[in-house]
Amino acid sequence: MTAVIEAVFGRNITIVYDALDLQAIDRNKLRGVIPDITPTVMDMPEMVVAVYPPSPWLIQIGDRRIRINVAAEIEGLGDFSLWEYAIKCNELISADKASLISYGYNFDFGVRFQQGTPRDALISRFVLNRAALEDTLQGTLTSYLPRMIFKTGDVQYDLVFELMNDAQMKVHGNAHFQYDGIQLPSLEGLKTSYMAQYEHLRNVIEKLLND
């Protein structure tokens, strides 16, 4: 194995609605979403943001979305109950004023290459005929950054590759749920789904980048 996922830089759960009235958001209830941490709630023209310094939590409400974010660089998922706070945030939205359209999970994976560089690895892995491509381009291919969107059942996946340096790469992975009659799962259901999709994306990325 030449490519190893060594860290997760960030993770979030995003909930999307058909409409979102920021004025109807109860700020006091928003402050109580994450227990034992008092956030600073900032009202912006098109977004309400709750920040929790010095903790890595961030909640953003706007653009018809609620995003529950944790920006902490650690080896795995960490002990962050995003599913619990996603359920609480969803309860801030009155069901008679907004309908759920979709929800999803986002992870930023840090990948280290033990042999070669990420730049060369992507070209050799995904450019089947480099010479022919360079002939068409009439130039030397110096970088190739693929984006892959694919579906499995009701889940759409999105993988975006980004170079960091000569030994590391970041891969953004998204699992997106959208179908007729969609509802947010129960607390345990959301937790199970979130963790399963994390493992699935992690496995797919490692298989893609290794022979």
Side-chain angles (χ1 to χ4, degrees), residues 42-57:
M42 298 179 289
D43 281 278
M44 302 177 182
E46 297 181 358
M47 185 170 289
V48 178
V49 179
V51 294
Y52 299 79
S55 80
W57 290 98

Side-chain angles (χ1 to χ4, degrees), residues 8-205:
V8 179
F9 298 132
R11 70 284 288 149
N12 89 16
I13 294 179
T14 298
I15 309 170
V16 185
Y17 304 88
D18 62 347
L20 204 55
D21 181 3
L22 296 183
Q23 300 304 315
I25 302 295
D26 188 319
R27 273 44 171 188
N28 288 327
K29 289 183 179 179
L30 175 58
R31 290 185 180 93
V33 166
I34 300 178
D36 304 322
I37 309 177
T38 301
T40 298
V41 176
M42 298 179 289
D43 281 278
M44 302 177 182
E46 297 181 358
M47 185 170 289
V48 178
V49 179
V51 294
Y52 299 79
S55 80
W57 290 98
L58 173 68
I59 296 176
Q60 299 167 297
I61 305 176
D63 189 28
R64 299 186 295 109
R65 290 164 170 78
I66 296 179
R67 299 179 178 91
I68 303 93
N69 309 277
V70 177
E73 182 178 342
I74 56 177
E75 184 175 345
L77 270 182
D79 188 22
F80 303 111
S81 302
L82 276 82
W83 50 87
E84 178 181 345
Y85 307 138
I87 295 290
K88 289 184 177 180
C89 283
N90 185 53
E91 292 172 351
L92 297 173
I93 309 304
S94 176
D96 60 352
K97 293 184 178 179
S99 297
L100 181 72
I101 290 180
S102 64
Y103 66 91
Y105 318 127
N106 295 278
F107 308 97
D108 289 322
F109 296 93
V111 182
R112 178 172 293 277
F113 284 74
Q114 299 171 333
Q115 300 173 14
T117 68
R119 188 187 310 273
D120 291 340
L122 288 176
I123 292 175
S124 63
R125 190 70 171 162
F126 299 114
V127 179
L128 297 181
N129 192 330
R130 181 173 182 173
L133 179 58
E134 289 180 336
D135 186 58
T136 300
L137 296 172
Q138 297 185 349
T140 301
L141 183 66
T142 60
S143 180
Y144 184 82
L145 298 176
R147 178 178 183 179
M148 303 176 186
I149 300 174
F150 55 99
K151 290 193 73 174
T152 302
D154 290 326
V155 188
Q156 177 172 294
Y157 297 97
D158 193 351
L159 295 176
V160 182
F161 297 79
E162 177 184 335
L163 299 177
M164 296 176 64
N165 52 50
D166 285 342
Q168 293 173 295
M169 171 197 302
K170 182 170 77 172
V171 183
H172 176 78
N174 168 258
H176 178 82
F177 296 78
Q178 184 169 357
Y179 48 85
D180 290 342
I182 190 170
Q183 293 184 337
L184 204 62
S186 66
L187 179 62
E188 277 304 311
L190 191 62
K191 175 182 178 180
T192 299
S193 172
Y194 172 84
M195 298 181 75
Q197 295 303 329
Y198 163 78
E199 291 294 342
H200 179 64
L201 286 166
R202 184 184 183 103
N203 290 336
V204 167
I205 291 167

